[in-house]
Amino acid sequence: MQRLGKSFSLLIITNTVVIILIAVFCVVMHEGVRYSDEQGYLELGKGVGQFGVYQLNGLATAYRPPAWPLWISTTFIIDSPGWVVFVIPAILLMASAVLASSIGYRIGGQIAGITAPILVGLYPVNLYTATTLYPQTLALACILALWAMWIFAPTVTSSKCRAVVAVGAGLTASCLALAVPTLALTAAVLLLAVVVTFWRIGARLAAALSVVFAAGTWLIWVVRNYITIGEAVFLSTSSGFNLLLGNSPNATADSGVSADISPSVEYATAHGMGELSRNDFYSTEARSWITSNPEESSILYVKKLVNYFSPYNEPHSAAQNNATVQALIATVAFGSILVLCIVRILGRESIKMHANEWVVIALFFANGPIMALYFTRTRFRQPLDGLMAVEAAIGLAVLFAICSRFLQHRRQRKDRVGLPL
C-alpha cells in the first residue's frame, strides 16, 4: 500500500510539473493570432458566442467544421477578456498530458505513467500548436480520451458510470471528426473499439449510447447544413479546396496551403461560384489533373506520403525565425519517439503488448495514405504523434525493465562466483 501511494505521488508530482511548464511556455511564447486559419476559427467562434450564428464574412458556411469554433465560442459567451481564448489550447494540452499519464500507467506501470505526460505535454509540436488557435490540440485530447475510455471501460462496473463513459465516448468521437475531418476514420475506429468493449462485457445499453450520441451529434451538423446552405454536408466544404492544393501542377510534397492554385480560384470568383459550387469545382479540377497526369500525380502522392513522416514542416503563412533550430528540435523529438516505439515493440515480452496498442500504432500509419490524398503537413499528423509518444513512454519502461533484469542477473552472478561487478 505504501509503495502504491508513493507511485501515485510521483505521478501527481510529474503531471503537476508538466502542467506548470506548459503554462509557462504558452505565456512566454504567446504571440496572438498569426495565421489566416486562426482568424477564421476566431471569427466563427465569435459569431456563435456573441450572435448565435455560424458565419464567415456574413454568410452561413460549412467550410470549417464546427467543433473547434464551438469550443472557442465559450469565451465569447461568458464575455471574457480577449486573451482567455488562447488559454483553451493550453488547457487541452494539459489534459492530454494527464490522459497520457493514465494510459501509460495502466499499460506500462510507474515508469510509463511518469514519462508519458512529459513526452506528450512537452513534445515540441504539441507546445507549438498550444500557442495557436489550430484545432489539432483539441484533436490530440480527443484521441487520447477515446483511447483512455477504451482501456478503462471494462473496469467500470456501475451502470450509471458506464452510461457516462459511453456518452462521453460518443461525444468525443464526433468532436474529433468535426474538429479535424481527416481524422474521422480514427474517431470511428476508436469509437467502435469502445462500443465492442462494452458489448463484450454485456453492457449493451452503454454500447448503444455511444453510437447514438456520436451519430446524433454528427447529424445535428448535417441537418444544420441542409437547412442553412441547402446541402447535407457531412463534414465540411473545404475538401475540394484541399484536394486541389495537394493535386495540381504547382503542388509539391510539402507545399501545403502555399501551392499556387490561383487560376482555379480566379475562375471560380469570376463566375460567382458559391461555397458549394466552389467545392465541387475544385474537386473536379483536382480529379481532372490526376487523371490527366497519372504518372506525375502518382509520384507526387508517394512524395506526400513520405512527407507525412517528416518531423518538421516550416510554416508557409508567416515568417519564421530560427527555422533550423526548430527543425533540429522537432527531428530529435520525433526520431526519439519512433526509436522508443520500436523498443516497445521489440521488448513486448518484458511488458505485455495489449491489442489496443497495435490498433493505435496501426492508426498512426493508416492515416498517412489518407492524408496524402490531399496534402501532408507535420501539424496535421501531430494529434497522432500523441499516440506514439505514449507508446514511447512504455518503450522507456521496457528499457528500464531490461536494465533492471540485467543488473539483477549480474548481482546474482556475483553472489555465485564471488566476483566484483
Side-chain angles (χ1 to χ4, degrees):
M1 182 66 72
Q2 185 177 1
R3 185 177 180 182
L4 185 62
K6 182 180 178 181
S7 176
F8 276 109
S9 296
L10 288 172
L11 288 176
I12 292 171
I13 292 170
T14 303
N15 279 280
T16 301
V17 171
V18 170
I19 287 172
I20 292 172
L21 290 174
I22 291 172
V24 170
F25 180 89
C26 290
V27 169
V28 172
M29 300 303 293
H30 172 63
E31 297 180 14
V33 176
R34 288 169 284 178
Y35 308 111
S36 58
D37 286 357
E38 293 181 275
Q39 187 60 52
Y41 287 119
L42 193 61
E43 181 181 342
L44 288 168
K46 185 175 182 180
V48 173
Q50 291 187 341
F51 310 108
V53 295
Y54 197 82
Q55 297 180 345
L56 278 176
N57 301 317
L59 299 174
T61 181
Y63 185 76
R64 299 193 186 279
W68 184 229
L70 288 177
W71 275 75
I72 291 175
S73 71
T74 57
T75 64
F76 294 99
I77 292 173
I78 61 176
D79 196 26
S80 61
W83 57 268
V84 174
V85 69
F86 294 96
V87 175
I88 297 177
I91 292 175
L92 288 169
L93 182 55
M94 294 173 189
S96 298
V98 174
L99 287 166
S101 181
S102 64
I103 296 169
Y105 182 80
R106 176 77 177 185
I107 298 175
Q110 179 178 311
I111 299 299
I114 291 172
T115 55
I118 298 172
L119 294 180
V120 171
L122 303 184
Y123 186 57
V125 183
N126 289 347
L127 286 171
Y128 163 72
T129 53
T131 64
T132 70
L133 291 180
Y134 287 141
Q136 272 67 35
T137 310
L138 172 60
L140 172 65
C142 288
I143 287 175
L144 291 176
L146 285 168
W147 189 7
M149 284 185 274
W150 179 12
I151 292 173
F152 289 100
T155 67
V156 181
T157 56
S158 166
S159 58
K160 290 183 179 179
C161 290
R162 281 178 177 172
V164 171
V165 173
V167 171
L171 293 176
T172 304
S174 60
C175 181
L176 175 57
L178 293 175
V180 182
T182 52
L183 293 174
L185 173 64
T186 299
V189 170
L190 292 176
L191 178 65
L192 178 62
V194 175
V195 170
V196 170
T197 299
F198 276 130
W199 192 270
R200 284 179 175 174
I201 63 175
R204 306 295 169 83
L205 177 60
L209 283 173
S210 295
V211 175
V212 168
F213 273 83
T217 307
W218 169 68
L219 282 173
I220 290 173
W221 172 243
V222 175
V223 171
R224 175 266 173 193
N225 292 334
Y226 183 78
I227 294 173
T228 59
I229 64 176
E231 186 172 310
V233 177
F234 294 150
L235 292 171
S236 76
T237 56
S238 62
S239 58
F241 184 70
N242 290 329
L243 188 65
L244 185 58
L245 282 172
N247 299 276
S248 59
N250 296 314
T252 63
D254 66 344
S255 56
V257 296
S258 69
D260 183 12
I261 57 170
S262 54
S264 297
V265 174
E266 291 169 0
Y267 181 90
T269 302
H271 286 74
M273 295 183 187
E275 186 173 302
L276 295 172
S277 55
R278 276 177 181 260
N279 188 50
D280 293 338
F281 171 68
Y282 292 147
S283 294
T284 301
E285 288 285 282
R287 289 195 294 267
S288 176
W289 181 81
I290 292 170
T291 54
S292 301
N293 303 273
E295 183 177 352
E296 185 179 351
S297 60
S298 298
I299 294 173
L300 178 60
Y301 176 82
V302 173
K303 289 180 177 179
K304 289 187 292 183
L305 182 57
V306 171
N307 186 66
Y308 171 81
F309 298 98
S310 175
Y312 177 80
N313 289 140
E314 185 177 351
H316 293 294
S317 52
Q320 294 291 304
N321 298 319
N322 303 316
T324 302
V325 175
Q326 293 174 3
L328 178 61
I329 293 173
T331 300
V332 171
F334 185 60
S336 300
I337 283 177
L338 291 184
V339 169
L340 287 170
C341 286
I342 293 172
V343 170
R344 196 288 171 260
I345 294 172
L346 296 178
R348 59 188 179 274
E349 291 184 2
S350 298
I351 297 178
K352 180 183 177 182
M353 195 149 185
H354 294 234
N356 61 73
E357 293 181 78
W358 289 113
V359 171
V360 298
I361 291 173
L363 282 172
F364 174 82
F365 288 97
N367 272 277
I370 296 172
M371 293 186 183
L373 292 172
Y374 298 88
F375 58 89
T376 53
R377 302 285 292 170
T378 302
R379 174 168 62 88
F380 297 160
R381 191 202 63 227
Q382 173 240 329
L384 297 161
D385 286 0
L387 299 175
M388 304 302 279
V390 176
E391 287 299 309
I394 303 172
L396 281 171
V398 168
L399 280 178
F400 182 82
I402 293 172
C403 291
S404 296
R405 282 200 304 272
F406 175 75
L407 292 174
Q408 185 179 9
H409 176 71
R410 291 199 65 187
R411 289 193 196 98
Q412 290 172 348
R413 221 177 134 188
K414 174 193 171 185
D415 292 340
R416 284 198 304 270
V417 300
L419 294 175
L421 289 174

